[in-house]
Amino acid sequence: MKRVHFLFSVLVSVLLLSTSVNLSAQKRLIVKPSYTGTAVDTFATIKLAVAAAGTVSGVADTVIVYDGTYKEKISFSRYSSPGNRSLVLASRFILDGDTNHIKNTVISGGGIVQSSQNDILVSAYGDNRNTEWFQFVGFTIDSASKYGLYLEGGQVANCILKNSGATAYIPYLFQGTRIINSKIYNNIGPAIFAFSQIGSDANSPMWKVENSFFYNNKALSSNSERDDRGGPWNQQYIGAVIWSTNSTKGRLSNNIFYKNNGDNIISSGGDRTTDTLDVFNNVFYKNNTKTAYFMNWWGQFGQNNYTSRWYNNIIDNNYTSATNNTNSEFAWGDGGSNGKPNEYYFKNNLIATEFNTNKGQTSNFSTTFTFNYDTATQIIGVAQFKDAVNGDFSLLPTSPGIGAGNVNFSTTKDYLGNNRPNPVRSGIDMGAVESILAMPTPAITSLQNAVIGGKKAIKINFSIYNNPKVDSVIIYRSTASKDTVTILSSSGTYSKTNRKDTLLNNTSVFTDTSSLVNATKYYYTIKSFIKSGLLTSEASKLDRITTRTATSKVSIPTS
């Protein structure tokens, strides 16, 4: 099996230092494995250092953990004496941005018995409406037999979460937490990430998972046991890599889900009109799962009011291999005839196959909900990634999805920390990684010698994508191939008419009859333009053709 490499944005460490953590203003404690000295600020275990932190109300102390493997359970409470406590718990990654600290600073559950809800490797109890009070930065959590993380609020940044969980237990449970720039792989559970309800008021905060990579996780439905850490777990789990209950708001943006297994990538639902799930600029690629199951029956039948918005995603899964299979990427349960319908919005997505917008997974109740599927902005096609096997999900210049996203439903940065949109006047790209292109590169599909009106001609057959809208195409011709694939003389302008937005692309023809010479090799390339020529594509791959030695003539019968 080929090795999969994951991408981290070192810029996140700079962001944390500049906006969230002022290391020089608070107490700093150090953890070194097997430390035997007498310094009052240095400890041999993380647990001892965390116990010594947070001694001043309202002051965020920092615990810096040196590289090593730590087999222990760490817990921190915001409300323990003196109250209003805050903590930054970080590896040395936070100091120098060296990602080697992440993989070498390990909190391991290997050999640790986890028999109750208190047996979590890392837990933080406190303000689930505040993502700053507890920050967990630059660690690897490995081999938790049941529970790896439980956070109320706070954030997880630049971490590796792997090899944890069990078929009836959720390895990572959160409330209103932000997870950013992390990679999560080889975990198992009815859910890998579960986001529990926060409160019934309309102003409850939004949990977020951003710029993270989910690989080879397995999420399986379970109704034999329930997780024992509290929360509304008395319903059957619909297995999912990301699972959220009612009374939550959530956002998934710039994430990559690759080769995960089980039931679904996402299961979510809610009984309040303020419950939401936003899914923007994610990649769902070659997972042996369905993309989503909407639990619009959550709470009680007839209370299915939440909204889910899907924009700018790339969806190409092996959903027929899902453990809990349907004939579609998406499935949902009926919600009762007396309740208000959910609202699902699907716009500006690149999907490999059209999915069935009418198929429900269950039919216990007959009801109709609002399914806003925008055919005009959806692209049915296959994304072309640079190297998905090795973790590079950048789009190739010829891929659909470039410049075809909706800028109103996106983040200002992509998975790698690059600005969106790029270029500034273009649309954003679908998927997690923004390219430097405004539109896909057009392609010359064939060149043909022809005779038009008795004159020598060359037919240039080419294809362009319909989204974003192309204003014109310029055809360039030369008798010399340039290393830069730039042909100096223009042989014509093509203006697109009669566009069909529902199609992936249109194949078109331009006929060149301009001063062609017999037995001459001509090189062609094309560029497309949008916004009246303000933005241009890259030149297409160079193609060539040699004219015949003599112009063909039409023979006229004499009798």
Side-chain angles (χ1 to χ4, degrees):
M1 181 177 179
K2 294 184 178 179
R3 184 179 180 182
V4 177
H5 299 276
F6 299 91
L7 304 175
F8 279 94
S9 173
V10 176
L11 295 177
V12 172
S13 64
V14 178
L15 176 65
L16 287 169
L17 288 170
S18 61
T19 62
S20 302
V21 184
N22 185 348
L23 295 179
S24 63
Q26 290 89 30
K27 181 169 61 177
R28 182 189 298 185
L29 306 175
I30 303 298
V31 179
K32 295 181 179 179
S34 304
Y35 179 74
T36 58
T38 59
V40 295
D41 63 348
T42 305
F43 301 85
T45 68
I46 304 173
K47 184 175 182 179
L48 289 173
V50 168
T55 56
V56 179
S57 178
V59 173
D61 289 341
T62 301
V63 173
I64 303 293
V65 181
Y66 278 53
D67 294 14
T69 298
Y70 300 85
K71 293 192 173 185
E72 52 181 305
K73 302 170 189 174
I74 301 110
S75 184
F76 184 79
S77 174
R78 181 166 176 77
Y79 301 119
S80 296
S81 178
N84 194 27
R85 304 168 73 210
S86 296
L87 179 66
V88 177
L89 179 58
S91 72
R92 287 191 292 168
F93 168 80
I94 202 172
L95 300 176
D96 57 20
D98 184 350
T99 57
N100 287 315
H101 294 309
I102 300 172
K103 64 182 180 181
N104 293 329
T105 311
V106 182
I107 299 174
S108 174
I112 294 180
V113 176
Q114 293 185 304
S115 57
S116 73
Q117 63 181 10
N118 298 317
D119 288 339
I120 306 163
L121 293 189
V122 179
S123 56
Y125 302 92
D127 189 350
N128 58 24
R129 298 167 183 271
N130 183 340
T131 59
E132 301 297 324
W133 79 270
F134 180 82
Q135 298 183 40
F136 187 69
V137 184
F139 288 94
T140 290
I141 286 189
D142 187 13
S143 300
S145 61
K146 293 180 181 178
Y147 312 130
L149 277 175
Y150 175 67
L151 268 62
E152 295 176 353
Q155 66 176 275
V156 177
N158 296 82
C159 286
I160 298 171
L161 311 177
K162 66 177 183 176
N163 303 330
S164 297
T167 54
Y169 297 92
I170 298 169
Y172 311 109
L173 178 62
F174 308 102
Q175 290 186 340
T177 307
R178 183 190 185 203
I179 294 95
I180 185 169
N181 278 78
S182 295
K183 61 179 181 181
I184 301 95
Y185 61 94
N186 295 347
N187 301 285
I188 189 172
I192 308 305
F193 280 13
F195 292 91
S196 179
Q197 65 183 15
I198 291 178
S200 60
D201 64 287
N203 297 318
S204 59
M206 177 176 284
W207 59 260
K208 296 179 181 179
V209 180
E210 304 167 293
N211 300 50
S212 294
F213 200 117
F214 294 80
Y215 171 74
N216 199 37
N217 300 286
K218 181 175 285 187
L220 300 169
S221 297
S222 174
N223 59 0
S224 60
E225 294 185 55
R226 69 179 191 180
D227 195 287
D228 59 2
R229 286 174 290 178
W233 312 116
N234 57 342
Q235 300 282 354
Q236 175 181 345
Y237 281 115
I238 306 299
V241 175
I242 304 288
W243 190 92
S244 65
T245 181
N246 61 324
S247 298
T248 63
K249 298 176 183 178
R251 173 175 292 178
L252 294 165
S253 58
N254 295 332
N255 300 292
I256 297 169
F257 298 87
Y258 179 52
K259 287 194 173 181
N260 296 282
N261 303 283
D263 295 343
N264 310 277
I265 299 299
I266 298 169
S267 291
S268 65
D271 55 16
R272 305 180 306 166
T273 56
T274 54
D275 292 342
T276 59
L277 175 64
D278 292 337
V279 184
F280 301 156
N281 282 102
N282 300 279
V283 173
F284 303 91
Y285 189 63
K286 303 308 179 188
N287 300 285
N288 295 318
T289 65
K290 296 189 298 296
T291 301
Y293 182 87
F294 300 114
M295 301 184 294
N296 54 342
W297 44 263
W298 187 266
Q300 62 183 31
F301 290 106
Q303 293 185 5
N304 29 303
N305 302 316
Y306 99 120
T307 296
S308 187
R309 294 181 284 258
W310 294 64
Y311 287 82
N312 310 324
N313 301 287
I314 295 174
I315 302 171
D316 183 1
N317 289 321
N318 302 315
Y319 64 86
T320 56
S321 300
T323 307
N324 188 0
N325 191 23
T326 67
N327 66 347
S328 179
E329 289 273 13
F330 295 83
W332 45 83
D334 290 334
S337 58
N338 296 322
K340 295 180 180 180
N342 294 356
E343 293 189 351
Y344 305 145
Y345 294 87
F346 289 85
K347 299 182 180 182
N348 294 90
N349 299 292
L350 172 59
I351 53 181
T353 57
E354 180 70 84
F355 58 84
N356 189 341
T357 59
N358 297 312
K359 175 69 177 177
Q361 190 181 37
T362 61
S363 57
N364 296 329
F365 294 85
S366 60
T367 185
T368 301
F369 57 82
T370 304
F371 192 96
N372 298 285
Y373 180 89
D374 187 28
T375 302
T377 62
Q378 225 83 250
I379 298 177
I380 311 300
V382 178
Q384 300 171 23
F385 297 115
K386 289 183 179 179
D387 191 0
V389 172
N390 289 305
D392 187 349
F393 285 84
S394 305
L395 292 174
L396 290 172
T398 53
S399 177
I402 295 175
N406 188 322
V407 73
N408 295 317
F409 296 90
S410 179
T411 55
T412 58
K413 301 285 185 179
D414 74 346
Y415 176 75
L416 299 175
N418 301 316
N419 291 330
R420 291 188 187 270
N422 190 12
V424 174
R425 295 186 183 92
S426 69
I428 66 168
D429 294 350
M430 295 174 176
V433 182
E434 185 79 2
S435 71
I436 61 173
L437 304 177
M439 70 200 85
T441 303
I444 295 175
T445 56
S446 67
L447 298 174
Q448 296 174 304
N449 280 303
V451 177
I452 306 295
K455 295 181 61 177
K456 184 180 295 295
I458 294 176
K459 286 186 175 180
I460 302 103
N461 300 279
F462 61 94
S463 64
I464 57 176
Y465 291 106
N466 290 333
N467 189 1
K469 178 182 176 181
V470 171
D471 298 329
S472 62
V473 174
I474 307 298
I475 297 96
Y476 298 91
R477 187 190 82 192
S478 176
T479 56
S481 175
K482 304 295 183 182
D483 292 338
T484 58
V485 197
T486 300
I487 308 303
L488 299 179
S489 58
S490 173
S491 64
T493 302
Y494 169 84
S495 297
K496 190 123 184 78
T497 57
N498 299 322
R499 294 174 60 254
K500 296 182 179 180
D501 288 338
T502 57
L503 298 178
L504 173 62
N505 60 56
N506 282 329
T507 300
S508 304
V509 179
F510 177 85
T511 303
D512 179 14
T513 59
S514 176
S515 303
L516 295 170
V517 179
N518 290 339
T520 301
K521 183 180 289 185
Y522 289 99
Y523 297 87
Y524 287 90
T525 188
I526 62 176
K527 291 182 180 180
S528 54
F529 294 80
I530 61 176
K531 297 191 176 180
S532 302
L534 289 175
L535 298 171
T536 180
S537 73
E538 287 189 338
S540 67
K541 183 179 179 180
L542 196 66
D543 204 353
R544 62 185 182 272
I545 190 171
T546 301
T547 55
R548 297 189 178 97
T549 56
T551 304
S552 300
K553 295 182 179 180
V554 178
S555 298
I556 302 175
T558 58
S559 63

